[in-house]
Amino acid sequence: MATIFGINLFALSGQLLVGLINGSFYALLSLGLAIIFGLLKIINFAQGAMYMLGAFFAWMALNYMGINYWWALLLVPLAVGVLAILMERFLVRPIANEDHLYSLLLTFGVALVLQGLFTHFYGSSGLPYQIPAELKGGTKLPFMYLPNYRAWIIVSSLVVCFSTWWVIEKTKLGAYLRAGTENPQLMQGFGINVPLITTLTFGFGVALAAFAGVLAAPVYSVSPEMGSNILIVVFAIVVIGGMGSIGGAILTGLMMGVVEGLTKFFYPEASTTVIFLFMVIVLLVKPAGLFGKEA
């Protein structure tokens, strides 16, 4: 058993892997929240429910229609994104100019309805979803055994997160998105359909949560509570990174996952509260968050 200064390297590596996996999900969900709030100024409390919806849609697609994991990874985010577009058009848009509290309460209500419906039809116990055959097995590394599917979660989430950041921050499309939310009248004067951009942005932010849900289905039990269990942590991460900071959401999500994993190894009793403790400290020192801009 490899140890350094009395530290079991196998156990430490395992917790770091768990932290990176959790951080990958945190990054995807936080990124979706940051896009929706940063560009649209909407507090989407249904993000966790959409994460749950992504996992359930993947399970239903496999068991009812025979659609495998790879197709689900493509089709489920699109389907949930379409639902989000309808939600934005008919529920969120009528209160878009009201106080942020209205959108928070509305989306919170949507989350409760979705969770209640799935609990009614499928119960509260988790449903299994098989790892695709191509990603079964793993690789033996010097200090740990790395399951292929866990590695896939980390790599795919990083690719999606940083591709999204690059599009928003470095391309003309991203410039249109930012300008359309900062000065919609000017953009409409140039012939840009700002309401359409707003709707598609909301749909994309929610689709990221559904993508994370499909990734999570083979790792965690597919259950109605899976979204509510992670949502509060994700909101804390968005606050730590800075509300609306796209890059901050990604980096802070990954960082907090690792911090949580290390805490589980060195002091397990604090693992469920360490992120919230970190949030309190950050808000005391830098109220705008680590990567946020002061108003």
Side-chain angles (χ1 to χ4, degrees), residues 32 46 67 73 86 257 259:
I67 297 175
L73 202 61
L86 295 174
V259 168

Side-chain angles (χ1 to χ4, degrees), residues 28-47 88 92 96 98-105 107 168-169 177-178 180-182 197-206 208 234-235 237-246 249 287-289 291-293 295:
L28 283 168
L29 290 166
S30 301
L31 176 59
L33 281 175
I35 288 173
I36 293 171
F37 182 80
L39 297 179
L40 309 181
K41 307 305 178 189
I42 297 171
I43 301 175
N44 181 25
F45 223 83
Q47 192 79 343
E88 191 278 336
V92 176
E98 304 292 340
D99 188 271
H100 295 327
L101 182 63
Y102 286 85
S103 63
L104 188 153
L105 292 174
T107 54
I168 293 175
E169 299 291 340
L177 290 174
R178 297 194 304 275
T181 56
E182 292 173 6
I197 289 178
T198 299
T199 301
L200 293 178
T201 301
F202 187 87
F204 179 74
V206 169
L208 287 173
V234 171
F235 262 99
I237 289 170
V238 171
V239 171
I240 293 169
M243 291 294 288
S245 173
I246 307 300
F291 302 94
K293 298 178 180 179

Side-chain angles (χ1 to χ4, degrees), residues 109-123:
V110 170
L112 291 179
V113 169
L114 289 174
Q115 183 175 332
L117 285 173
F118 278 87
T119 301
H120 174 74
F121 288 108
Y122 295 98

